[in-house]
Amino acid sequence: MALLQTHTFSHPIPSLPPIFSSSKTHLQNSLFFSSTKIRPFSLSTQPRKLLCKPPLGKHVREDYLVKKMSAQEVEELVRGERSVPIIIDFYATWCGPCILMAQELEMLAVEYEKNAIIVKVDTDDEYEFAHNMQVRGLPTLFFISPDPKKEAIRTEGLIPIQMMRDILDNEM
């Protein structure tokens, strides 16, 4: 039979704090729970001013300035007489960057309301037209000058709104 022996230490062992604190302390901690709404941190004391209300993740709505067009309507618009440049946006509803581009194009349409025509073409609906225009990546933009002697400018992928402004102001 084995005998159990107990040892006594001459110095006491300090008590350790509990690893998990009670839910009561979490409820009192404002980092975890708050009974009041906290406003987002901002260095500005004035409310943010927007040029226009950005679209809420939609590509086309009735009240948008940028309108969806069919391939035939776009061809008629390009061949017709006009005094302002045209921006054609080739997009797809499942494309994430296309949603971001739609927001930027809508803001651009507000700025250039009388100085540019901005239209959208859904590549899923107008597959042949997108194929004929050699659209390989989305979103793809075509900037078409009112001057028939100038070449169209083509961009692929998400581009900043300032780059679109520069193309419209300097290249068209």
Side-chain angles (χ1 to χ4, degrees):
M1 285 183 56
L3 294 172
L4 289 174
Q5 295 179 351
T6 57
H7 295 285
T8 57
F9 295 103
S10 61
H11 55 82
I13 299 174
S15 65
L16 297 173
I19 296 173
F20 299 105
S21 59
S22 70
S23 61
K24 185 176 180 183
T25 56
H26 281 295
L27 290 175
Q28 293 169 351
N29 191 340
S30 65
L31 289 175
F32 296 106
F33 298 100
S34 176
S35 59
T36 60
K37 275 201 166 197
I38 298 173
R39 293 179 51 196
F41 178 75
S42 174
L43 295 176
S44 175
T45 58
Q46 300 193 0
R48 200 170 155 192
K49 294 179 183 175
L50 295 176
L51 205 59
C52 67
K53 186 177 177 184
L56 301 174
K58 298 285 185 178
H59 296 281
V60 179
R61 280 191 357 197
E62 290 298 319
D63 59 339
Y64 285 0
L65 294 175
V66 180
K67 300 295 181 192
K68 179 182 172 184
M69 291 189 158
S70 68
Q72 184 179 2
E73 292 169 328
V74 170
E75 287 175 359
E76 290 172 6
L77 182 65
V78 170
R79 288 187 186 130
E81 194 68 29
R82 66 188 183 289
S83 60
V84 295
I86 300 173
I87 300 174
I88 305 171
D89 173 28
F90 287 90
Y91 76 101
T93 55
W94 46 264
C95 169
C98 298
I99 294 172
L100 298 173
M101 184 69 83
Q103 296 172 355
E104 290 188 355
L105 285 172
E106 189 64 27
M107 287 189 265
L108 195 71
V110 171
E111 289 179 43
Y112 289 85
E113 189 172 2
K114 304 284 188 231
N115 299 324
I117 300 170
I118 305 174
V119 297
K120 303 178 81 52
V121 176
D122 189 345
T123 55
D124 291 331
D125 294 343
E126 302 290 344
Y127 177 78
E128 279 297 315
F129 182 56
H131 181 72
N132 292 342
M133 295 294 288
Q134 297 178 350
V135 174
R136 302 278 187 261
L138 295 177
T140 296
L141 296 180
F142 281 92
F143 295 83
I144 301 172
S145 175
D147 183 5
K149 296 176 184 133
K150 285 191 176 181
E151 291 286 320
I153 297 173
R154 169 199 171 118
T155 65
E156 272 189 21
L158 186 62
I159 62 171
I161 193 168
Q162 187 58 47
M163 186 181 290
M164 291 185 264
R165 287 184 191 120
D166 291 342
I167 292 172
L168 285 171
D169 293 339
N170 302 328
E171 305 294 330
M172 296 284 118

